[in-house]
Amino acid sequence: MLWLVFRWERVRLVPMAVSDELHERLHQHFGFREFLEGQEPVISALLEGRDALVIMPTGGGKSLCYQFPALILEGITLVVSPLIALMKDQVDALVGKKIPAACINSSLAPSEMSQRIQGMQRGEYRLVYVAPERFKSERFVQALAPLSIALFAIDEAHCISQWGHDFRPDYLRLRHALRSLGQPQVAALTATATPEVRQDIIEQLDLGKAGREPPRVFVSGFARPNLTLAVTQAKNQAAKLARILEFIRQLKTGIIYCATRKNVERVTASLAQAGVPATAYHAGLTDQQRARAQEKFMSGDCPVAIATNAFGMGVDRADLRFVLHHDIPGSVEAYYQEAGRAGRDGEPARCELLFNYADVQTQEFFIEGANPTREIIEGLRLALLSLCRHGPVEIPISEIAEQVPEANNEMAVGTALYLLERAGFIQRDYRSGSRTYTTRLAEPVKELDALQIDFERLNAKRERDVAKLRRMIQYADNTGCRHQFILRYFGDEDAGERCATCDTCLSRTGSASRLPTEEEIVIIQKALSCVARVNGRFGRGRITQTLVGSRSKDVLDAGLDRLSTYGLLSDFSPDYVWSLLDTLVQAGCLQVGGGEYPTLSLTDLGGDVMRRKKTISLVMPEVESSHSTGGAKSRATRRGDADSHDEGDYDVNLFDALREWRREKAAGLGNLPAYLIYTDRALEGLSRRKPRTEPELLEVRGIGPAKARRFGAETLEIIRQYL
Ligand code: ADP
């Protein structure tokens, strides 16, 4: 039998050799030379018998995390996957690699189904993909029970959680199936799981139960430094359209996501008028039309797609140079999943949200529609009692909605109909050729309280949806680093310092990434060589002090003044050197070690740049005038930016007092990056204008109403005391 080829012993080798062995098999069976980020630890944990929850973005390489152990572990690996089309692709790809695999879903005829089950029983497959609804059938679960199941992999595991954006009731059956199958080892995988969803997945699937060790949770790969993230305030439709055209002209290939079908059609028509062809995609098109649109886009015939969120699953075009959002989506996970389709090839790509606060209403409308209130459900129940009193009716939802005075949202009526159907109050059938359902009352007719509708859960879900939308609005309003915001949202440990590729960081530094000048290359070399001398022993603060030639006790005690690199950048201010190190971290020349005191060390790339083997683009910090006026420490005043409308000397002592307050404040707010309180430029403005009232405060560049509300009173008090 074919699978005998794969009957391997469990790996019993020393760790280095295990890694070598894994690499060898990776190459042998999958043709890859290296694991992608995060894959190897997951595979090792699964081979050790641990349950695992794996959170990696789309395209991160989740499939290999279970396909690889499936070849090594004894027994069959079941893979639950919700998308029949993708399932088939995966199975074809595996079979192409001579890995015996099959799928079981509703597209199979009963005879094929039983053949596959018999095949499983005979041990003909290493991997079998199963659609989640199959587990509704107790007979199916019983047929699996005698099998030796090595691993139960659950793809798109967030579908089990009502906290997630894509809850699927069929996933709730999996817990029962797992119990019936003797609680096999589980790998749950998803691209989108916030901490709440993560906890929910662990609980719903009983991970780490039945005497096993607690599950390992892996979050990796969310960092996408090649994506430039930005939010543009778009006053109106014309502004949005102008921006879209600019993107298409410059970047050519990409997707424009809209919140509604109507907007897809509107934008597509406007582009057509402007002579720009684009393919439209939304759930209102026929299957055929959608397949054609997808095909046109994938083949490169039409490099621009205008789409709702229905477009995405299965879009595997790696060379998208942009993803624009015409409307704000409902959650950060939805946004990042869609935006993340840009630049899969690792080349630079741009993701921009065209933000107009009025668009939030569309999402609020969706939330109302997806979460009808008790009043709407009761209103609908009464309307149905009346409408169906003489028997089944065949009327569209829009007409039913007219009979429900409590509802001003047709979508909410649609959801309420679904809930009443699920609770057994009505039955709905779809007659082929008809455009609407036939609705009839189920017997016996029940009162609302006798129906199994969990209103508490419905309310909780509505609140969660609202909270998610709020986070998305925070993202749009955010003045900090957008990459950091997203990584923190997902709980990715990689959430480092500021980036060099989002609009807020770029505007903070006032310049975009570029190749350094000859003079700057020398500065960079000096900084890198200082890090190389103390590699991994000191953090940014101590290295900055060393480079500027500080005589502080810490530096002298550590003997850093005896290094050849001591004082190499003494012409520059500590702020400048600190920012330079920051930039070098962002550019991948330096890496920050973990632990309580993050240390800096040189990466391979950093080594190459130091030795001038490579030149890279980066965002160089602005040089303060102290550089040209003879040293950071002697300056009495500093000058504002030349192009600032607010330029001029400012009071350094007040600046220092405000900076000290900002430092303490940031520490008190859970080590918030200080610039999130006020940027240096705002501090300069304050030290120049010395405002005494709130209106005066609001005149300072960089201080808006939100900041004034939050920090204004304290700021004014410091200035008052100083004066
Ligand atoms: P996900 O399920 O996380 O969206 P996939 O498992 O489909 O991602 O993998 C995304 C792409 O990465 C696929 O084209 C896959 O062949 C490729 N891939 C996976 N692992 C590796 C690897 N170790 N080296 C190179 N490519 C890989």
Side-chain angles (χ1 to χ4, degrees):
M1 269 182 291
L2 189 54
W3 73 268
L4 282 176
V5 179
F6 298 93
R7 285 206 64 187
W8 294 325
E9 294 303 311
R10 259 185 192 263
V11 192
R12 276 195 212 90
L13 299 166
V14 288
M16 259 316 280
V18 169
S19 179
D20 288 349
E21 171 85 11
L22 294 184
H23 275 85
E24 206 177 302
R25 288 181 174 178
L26 177 69
H27 189 226
Q28 181 187 354
H29 297 288
F30 295 93
F32 302 136
R33 297 226 160 258
E34 290 297 333
F35 287 103
L36 297 180
E37 189 198 331
Q39 285 178 331
E40 198 174 353
V42 174
I43 290 169
S44 302
L46 290 173
L47 292 179
E48 280 168 19
R50 297 282 291 266
D51 284 340
L53 171 58
V54 182
I55 300 147
M56 279 185 191
T58 307
K62 284 184 286 298
S63 321
L64 191 92
C65 294
Y66 55 81
Q67 288 173 348
F68 191 103
L71 299 186
I72 297 184
L73 296 172
E74 290 240 10
I76 193 164
T77 290
L78 297 178
V79 185
V80 179
S81 172
L83 298 164
I84 295 179
L86 292 191
M87 208 186 253
K88 191 175 170 313
D89 289 350
Q90 297 248 15
V91 169
D92 290 349
L94 287 169
V95 171
K97 292 182 173 109
K98 305 220 171 355
I99 297 169
C103 57
I104 293 187
N105 58 43
S106 52
S107 72
L108 296 183
S111 59
E112 283 176 300
M113 184 95 77
S114 50
Q115 268 174 15
R116 299 245 164 119
I117 292 177
Q118 283 162 17
M120 285 163 84
Q121 286 163 346
R122 286 196 300 268
E124 285 172 13
Y125 309 113
R126 294 306 287 171
L127 289 115
V128 174
Y129 285 72
V130 186
E133 62 272 13
R134 292 307 313 148
F135 292 95
K136 274 197 286 203
S137 153
E138 198 54 39
R139 266 184 60 198
F140 178 71
V141 176
Q142 288 315 320
L144 299 181
L147 301 178
S148 159
I149 297 174
L151 182 63
F152 197 100
I154 302 170
D155 208 2
E156 311 287 351
H158 61 277
C159 294
I160 203 169
S161 171
Q162 306 206 21
W163 291 76
H165 62 94
D166 198 12
F167 170 64
R168 290 177 189 230
D170 285 337
Y171 267 66
L172 289 179
R173 303 287 307 167
L174 296 178
R175 174 189 230 162
H176 169 75
L178 283 167
R179 287 182 180 171
S180 304
L181 299 174
Q183 214 70 46
Q185 188 185 350
V186 173
L189 306 102
T190 172
T192 61
T194 52
E196 298 89 359
V197 176
R198 230 180 281 170
Q199 195 48 37
D200 212 15
I201 294 174
I202 291 174
E203 280 166 20
Q204 298 281 355
L205 293 173
D206 291 333
L207 297 192
K209 294 270 174 67
R212 281 201 304 278
E213 287 182 76
R216 297 280 312 271
V217 178
F218 299 92
V219 185
S220 68
F222 282 92
R224 297 285 307 278
N226 62 322
L227 301 185
T228 302
L229 300 178
V231 177
T232 301
Q233 302 291 331
K235 270 203 303 262
N236 50 33
Q237 188 56 25
K240 288 188 181 186
L241 203 62
R243 191 75 180 145
I244 291 172
L245 285 169
E246 205 180 313
F247 262 69
I248 297 177
R249 281 197 195 107
Q250 260 185 37
L251 300 165
K252 312 272 184 302
T253 312
I255 305 177
I256 297 138
Y257 277 105
C258 300
T260 61
R261 297 173 193 181
K262 209 172 92 199
N263 282 353
V264 168
E265 276 157 11
R266 190 152 70 140
V267 175
T268 312
S270 304
L271 288 185
Q273 261 181 9
V276 177
T279 181
Y281 189 103
H282 56 69
L285 303 176
T286 63
D287 289 353
Q288 239 181 2
Q289 286 169 319
R290 275 189 289 167
R292 211 177 314 126
Q294 186 154 338
E295 166 60 27
K296 257 169 80 180
F297 184 67
M298 294 300 290
S299 67
D301 269 2
C302 188
V304 176
I306 324 278
T308 60
N309 59 4
F311 191 57
M313 298 275 198
V315 177
D316 195 13
R317 206 177 148 164
D319 61 347
L320 300 187
R321 296 278 65 87
F322 73 87
V323 168
L324 275 174
H325 276 77
H326 179 271
D327 311 293
I328 188 168
S331 68
V332 175
E333 51 266 62
Y335 177 71
Y336 203 48
Q337 184 159 38
E338 288 160 7
R341 299 205 162 95
R344 290 267 193 78
D345 51 9
E347 296 295 317
R350 290 171 63 183
C351 307
E352 190 163 302
L353 166 64
L354 306 178
F355 185 47
N356 181 322
Y357 210 93
D359 301 337
V360 170
Q361 281 173 12
T362 310
Q363 292 300 336
E364 286 170 346
F365 178 85
F366 286 156
I367 294 175
E368 258 178 51
N371 305 285
T373 58
R374 184 187 170 97
E375 289 67 40
I376 293 178
I377 298 172
E378 174 62 351
L380 174 65
R381 195 186 69 88
L382 296 175
L384 289 169
L385 276 178
S386 160
L387 284 167
C388 306
R389 64 187 180 279
H390 300 306
V393 290
E394 197 180 307
I395 48 175
I397 292 180
S398 55
E399 280 174 36
I400 299 180
E402 282 168 17
Q403 309 298 315
V404 186
E406 294 79 1
N408 53 9
N409 180 328
E410 197 179 304
M411 189 179 151
V413 173
T415 313
L417 271 170
Y418 167 73
L419 290 170
L420 286 176
E421 183 186 8
R422 249 190 29 191
F425 180 74
I426 47 171
Q427 283 165 356
R428 287 194 300 163
D429 301 300
Y430 193 72
R431 197 164 49 78
S432 76
S434 161
R435 297 191 61 186
T436 53
Y437 281 95
T438 306
T439 306
R440 68 170 56 101
L441 295 175
E443 295 290 340
V445 174
K446 289 184 186 158
E447 292 297 314
L448 190 64
D449 285 331
L451 293 172
Q452 284 211 339
I453 299 179
D454 191 339
F455 288 103
E456 227 170 84
R457 202 142 124 184
L458 264 179
N459 287 339
K461 186 174 160 294
R462 183 181 314 113
E463 278 167 27
R464 281 196 301 270
D465 287 352
V466 169
K468 282 185 189 170
L469 177 59
R470 233 178 269 138
R471 289 295 297 276
M472 187 59 217
I473 298 168
Q474 277 170 11
Y475 170 83
D477 281 340
N478 172 42
T479 53
C481 172
R482 296 198 199 280
H483 282 280
Q484 222 175 41
F485 184 101
I486 286 180
L487 292 181
R488 297 225 166 100
Y489 183 88
F490 285 106
D492 190 328
E493 301 289 315
D494 269 357
E497 301 276 323
R498 293 184 298 261
C499 71
T501 51
C502 79
D503 54 350
T504 57
C505 291
L506 287 173
S507 73
R508 193 186 59 82
T509 54
S511 54
S513 189
R514 61 173 169 79
L515 287 174
T517 61
E518 183 54 35
E519 189 191 1
E520 286 167 342
I521 292 176
V522 176
I523 295 170
I524 290 169
Q525 282 182 296
K526 288 178 177 175
L528 291 175
S529 58
C530 185
V531 177
R533 288 301 306 270
V534 297
N535 221 9
R537 286 191 291 130
F538 294 101
R540 208 168 308 192
R542 210 56 60 75
I543 293 171
T544 300
Q545 288 176 315
T546 308
L547 278 164
V548 299
S550 159
R551 304 293 303 161
S552 83
K553 190 168 175 315
D554 290 343
V555 171
L556 302 181
D557 284 356
L560 293 171
D561 56 332
R562 294 197 295 276
L563 291 182
S564 56
T565 49
Y566 177 77
L568 273 185
L569 295 179
S570 59
D571 275 356
F572 294 85
S573 72
D575 273 358
Y576 176 84
V577 176
W578 176 279
S579 303
L580 177 66
L581 293 173
D582 221 23
T583 291
L584 292 170
V585 171
Q586 299 308 332
C589 294
L590 298 178
Q591 64 194 10
V592 184
E596 201 183 341
Y597 302 105
T599 54
L600 286 186
S601 56
L602 207 61
T603 60
D604 291 345
L605 176 65
D608 287 346
V609 171
M610 186 176 75
R611 288 180 214 98
R612 283 196 173 230
K613 285 194 195 155
K614 268 193 189 144
T615 310
I616 53 163
S617 284
L618 30 68
V619 183
M620 287 299 287
E622 286 169 84
V623 183
E624 289 168 342
S625 56
S626 55
H627 177 40
S628 51
T629 56
K633 289 149 281 163
S634 62
R635 68 191 188 262
T637 58
R638 278 168 271 178
R639 299 196 71 80
D641 224 322
D643 63 1
S644 159
H645 78 113
D646 239 359
E647 64 189 83
D649 290 351
Y650 60 87
D651 189 323
V652 167
N653 293 329
L654 176 56
F655 179 91
D656 287 343
L658 285 166
R659 190 161 57 169
E660 178 57 17
W661 164 81
R662 181 182 68 173
R663 197 187 55 71
E664 279 170 18
K665 190 86 202 158
L669 291 172
N671 282 334
L672 200 71
Y675 66 89
L676 287 186
I677 297 180
Y678 287 141
T679 58
D680 280 356
R681 173 145 333 159
L683 290 188
E684 285 175 19
L686 286 168
S687 321
R688 183 181 299 117
R689 290 173 167 255
K690 301 181 183 148
R692 289 159 200 241
T693 61
E694 192 169 331
E696 287 178 20
L697 186 73
L698 284 167
E699 280 172 29
V700 175
R701 203 169 183 179
I703 301 185
K707 294 223 159 149
R709 233 184 353 261
R710 211 161 159 209
F711 307 118
E714 277 177 74
T715 313
L716 291 174
E717 179 56 19
I718 293 168
I719 297 172
R720 195 188 63 75
Q721 282 186 15
Y722 176 79
L723 291 175

